[in-house]
Amino acid sequence: MGDALQQVVVCMAEYHVGSVLVEHQGKQQGLITRRRAMQFILERGGSSPVTEAMLLPVLRVQAGTDIDTLGLEMLSRNLMHALVYGQNDRCLGIISQTDIVNSQGLEHDLDLKPLCEVASFDLIRLGTEQSLQAALERMQQAGHSAALVGTDRQWRILTETDAIRFLSSGIRLDLPLADLPLATVVSLSGTSHLHQARHFLHDRGFRHIGVTNDEGEVVGLASYHDILRSLEQSYVHRLRGMLDERGQDLRQSRHDLRLIEQVINASHEGVVITDTRGRIQSVNRAFTSITGYSSEEALGRNPSMLSSGRHGADFYHSLWQRLGEEGQWQGEIWNRRKDGQVYPEWLSITAIRNERDEVTQYAAIFHDLTEMKRSEARVEQLSWFDSVTGLANRRLFEDRLQLAHAYCHENGQRLALLAIDLDLFKQINDRFGHRGGDQLLHQVAERIESTLVQQGTAARPAGDEFYIILSEQTDPEALSRYLDSLSQSLAVPFWLAGEEVRLMASIGVAVAPDDAESAEALIRAAEIALHHSKEQGRNTICFFSPEQHQAALSRYRLAGYLQQALERNEFHMVYQPQIDVHDQRLIGVEALLRWEHPELGVVSPGTFIPVAEDAGLIDAIGQWGLERSVRDAVDWRDQGVSLKLAVNVSAREFQRGDVAERVQAVLSREGLSPESFVVELTETCFMQSADTTEQALVKLRRQGVRIAIDDFGTGFSSLSYIRNMSLDILKIDRSFITGVDSSGTGGQLVRAIVDMSHAMQLEVVAEGVETTDDLMALQRLGCDQAQGYHVARPMPADELLQWAAAYAAGKKAISPL
């Protein structure tokens, strides 16, 4: 009795129990449950005496008590545990709702209901930045035994069992949820049977299970308590069966009568017994809870006192006619509570007959449908609307587009479809997290809807993509005005976490019937226009045209050829030498990928690389180029020519996240020193996946691999990247080098880049050196290395050795393209 509450919590955690019996001098004093312990520790600390946290009184039952009866009694009193006593008033142990559910042979009852009918959809969803203290207080206030932690992409679960485990270990309550070892929520479809859910919980030792909708999103939670409540409803249905059999079951035995009385009193469904004239003879506690009328106020009155006024005389005439003909009626009805609130209920009425087949009474059983209809509405909302923005989801968008297209086609009207993509949205997620990204998407949706003024439909099918259906503003002038309005609205800065964020959006526009004859074709046309908008530099608007369609078809054709290119050995590597600017010494080569198709001929890398990225082929092609070039470098080394090898890696390859591991594996397998290897990447890698790219670069440099940023000067944020990222070499784009004059403006700009790079301990390589004057100017400007046609054109691996020997001998050797 003198123990501190913290000791009880440690006991719960050690023995994995949900309640602890408190005894004093051999007598049972009370129970302490997980929830009670959490409440007191949060409010008063773990040093509180156990006597203050005990639950009193405690339900005491005999060991011979019927399990059905006990379950109903615990539900009616809202108790999770009870003490079981045997002979000589000796306490045998504690029984919980979980024990009751797992101890009954109720497969038939459990198979009758899907999981979604008993689940709770009133969830607590917590961000990972919240503290453990705040999370537990939120659960206490809501009376919930579990909460979801995380985002729509991955939910973890915090339960009272977890809370006890954390509290017992003395963990700091101010720790964020992100730092706690929480399990990922395990879910079943809402259509699963309760029998399956019970076995799932029992076999895995869980007390909660997630409930998913048709899209696989977690929309609810179910527990043993919810399943037990469902079983109680099955008992009520058994009662209906007894009433249907003309009252014979009411006289079967005293046990049946006691069970029926307990079912009626404990049931959460309202029960009303009337005489043949409709005067109320008996009501249960649930009747009072649902309607607000006490039994004293109801006895002797007619159930018409509950009438809502929503049903006419014909409705009640049909009800009594069927009740007279068949002896029963059931259906949905609207009634009115004592406070005037109208609510829906499911009502079953049965005529009770005596031995002479005379109707002596009517029994009505009903339950409140308010929460069920709210849940149905929530599920319906989730199935048709995007949960982040409130806009139509893909399913509703496609449905509305079909309707709009059919209407415009029948009436000879035009229909415009806008496809919108937020440029570089991943940067927002990287900077503000997914919650910040969702907030921005919600603000964008509000801006879009404000421009429509109920004259169109906006949708968010996925990610950072939006669609707008316009059937009112489709003549060229009106459409142009709307696009101006939309662009201006999206150009206004957004605010996230107190910071100003400017957004860029690419927009593709297609119009039916000019651009497409069907809704599906209109979507493809708008997406093709969007793709061309992004290719033109982003933050632009592009209209669909037949030429774009042909270009898209060409891309699809090219993607098909690329699928077979590796299998048919159509790729090969060429290498462009790099020299020291000051002593003209050969230092290394840049590996360049080439593709020669039997029908298309030589295809430019600028043409096929973007297609390979979009088609998901760049990883396989990049891996082939990496392995081929490393083997060539090893062959040169074995023949006495050791060169630095530079290989380009695309942004898509960095996004996959395993670049460092792949490079290390190839170098190790082929036996090439990491110090002889350079990874070249562009600014796009930083812009699209900054965190992933930086992690890969750090791993590569630790291995000894050097890192070069390619095409410097062509992006808008180059300085910030080279300052913050792990780099060794900076390659100046050829646009700065061609015709450079060390004394002119171009030369001053190159000198500034060189000086800045040297200040950060970066080597500088100039690309596109085509004349002796270019090379001499770069020497005066302090550039370190150079490559270009003046030095040598790209050449196959077997020609490189001959060229290197001739170059070393002072000969001029220019290889063909």
Side-chain angles (χ1 to χ4, degrees), residues 235-236 238-264 271-274 281 350-355 358 360-365:
Y235 303 152
V236 173
R238 292 176 189 171
L239 170 60
R240 289 179 183 150
M242 289 187 239
L243 295 176
D244 275 345
E245 294 176 3
R246 303 177 181 179
Q248 293 180 5
D249 291 340
L250 295 175
R251 296 181 297 275
Q252 283 186 350
S253 66
R254 289 184 178 182
H255 174 76
D256 289 340
L257 290 174
R258 285 197 303 270
L259 178 60
I260 290 172
E261 182 180 358
Q262 290 171 336
V263 168
I264 291 174
V271 178
V272 182
I273 308 295
T274 74
Q281 296 178 324
T350 300
I352 302 175
R353 300 176 182 271
N354 61 17
E355 294 85 348
E358 299 169 338
T360 59
Q361 292 170 305
Y362 292 101
I365 301 176

Side-chain angles (χ1 to χ4, degrees), residues 665-686:
V666 173
L667 294 179
S668 176
R669 184 173 65 249
E670 301 298 336
L672 184 66
S673 169
E675 288 74 16
S676 301
F677 193 78
V678 178
V679 167
E680 292 193 4
L681 66 162
T682 63
E683 288 181 13
T684 309
C685 298
F686 303 133

Side-chain angles (χ1 to χ4, degrees), residues 68 354 550:
D68 294 347
N354 61 17
Q550 289 302 318

Side-chain angles (χ1 to χ4, degrees), residues 113-356:
K113 283 190 178 181
L115 184 59
C116 62
E117 286 193 16
V118 305
S120 171
F121 295 96
D122 182 21
L123 304 179
I124 298 177
R125 298 179 187 266
L126 304 171
T128 55
E129 75 282 354
Q130 290 202 25
S131 68
L132 176 60
Q133 171 115 16
L136 297 184
E137 290 175 348
R138 177 91 177 272
M139 290 169 59
Q140 285 284 332
Q141 293 167 2
H144 288 196
S145 60
L148 294 181
V149 179
T151 66
D152 288 336
R153 299 192 176 187
Q154 182 179 24
W155 290 110
R156 295 187 295 160
I157 188 168
L158 172 64
T159 66
E160 290 180 341
T161 302
D162 296 321
I164 291 298
R165 177 162 49 90
F166 296 145
L167 293 174
S168 69
S169 66
I171 195 171
R172 292 191 358 248
L173 294 177
D174 61 349
L175 282 178
L177 297 179
D179 295 345
L180 300 178
L182 300 178
T184 300
V185 66
V186 178
S187 304
L188 284 178
S189 169
T191 59
S192 303
H193 292 162
L194 291 186
H195 176 59
Q196 180 182 1
R198 184 185 75 166
H199 276 289
F200 198 88
L201 291 169
H202 179 266
D203 294 346
R204 290 164 175 77
F206 296 163
R207 289 185 172 84
H208 298 82
I209 189 171
V211 182
T212 60
N213 60 13
D214 291 341
E215 284 72 37
E217 301 168 323
V218 178
V219 297
L221 282 177
S223 65
Y224 276 111
H225 179 74
D226 299 318
I227 296 177
L228 186 58
R229 188 171 300 283
S230 169
L231 299 179
E232 175 240 9
Q233 293 178 354
S234 298
Y235 303 152
V236 173
H237 291 310
R238 292 176 189 171
L239 170 60
R240 289 179 183 150
M242 289 187 239
L243 295 176
D244 275 345
E245 294 176 3
R246 303 177 181 179
Q248 293 180 5
D249 291 340
L250 295 175
R251 296 181 297 275
Q252 283 186 350
S253 66
R254 289 184 178 182
H255 174 76
D256 289 340
L257 290 174
R258 285 197 303 270
L259 178 60
I260 290 172
E261 182 180 358
Q262 290 171 336
V263 168
I264 291 174
N265 289 330
S267 174
H268 284 262
E269 297 197 355
V271 178
V272 182
I273 308 295
T274 74
D275 61 19
T276 56
R277 299 173 61 184
R279 290 176 299 192
I280 297 175
Q281 296 178 324
S282 172
V283 298
N284 67 345
R285 287 195 293 254
F287 171 90
T288 299
S289 175
I290 294 172
T291 67
Y293 290 98
S294 66
S295 59
E296 292 78 9
E297 293 172 314
L299 295 180
R301 298 181 65 181
N302 193 286
S304 61
M305 65 191 244
L306 302 173
S307 176
S308 66
R310 290 194 178 188
H311 304 287
D314 291 344
F315 174 85
Y316 292 105
H317 176 75
S318 174
L319 184 156
W320 282 106
Q321 182 179 7
R322 183 172 178 183
L323 189 59
E325 295 174 352
E326 301 180 13
Q328 60 181 6
W329 180 91
Q330 64 178 354
E332 186 175 313
I333 189 171
W334 289 85
N335 273 338
R336 188 182 302 274
R337 308 186 206 274
K338 182 180 179 180
D339 63 6
Q341 181 187 10
V342 175
Y343 68 99
E345 69 178 29
W346 185 261
L347 173 65
S348 296
I349 306 176
T350 300
I352 302 175
R353 300 176 182 271
N354 61 17
E355 294 85 348
R356 295 185 298 275

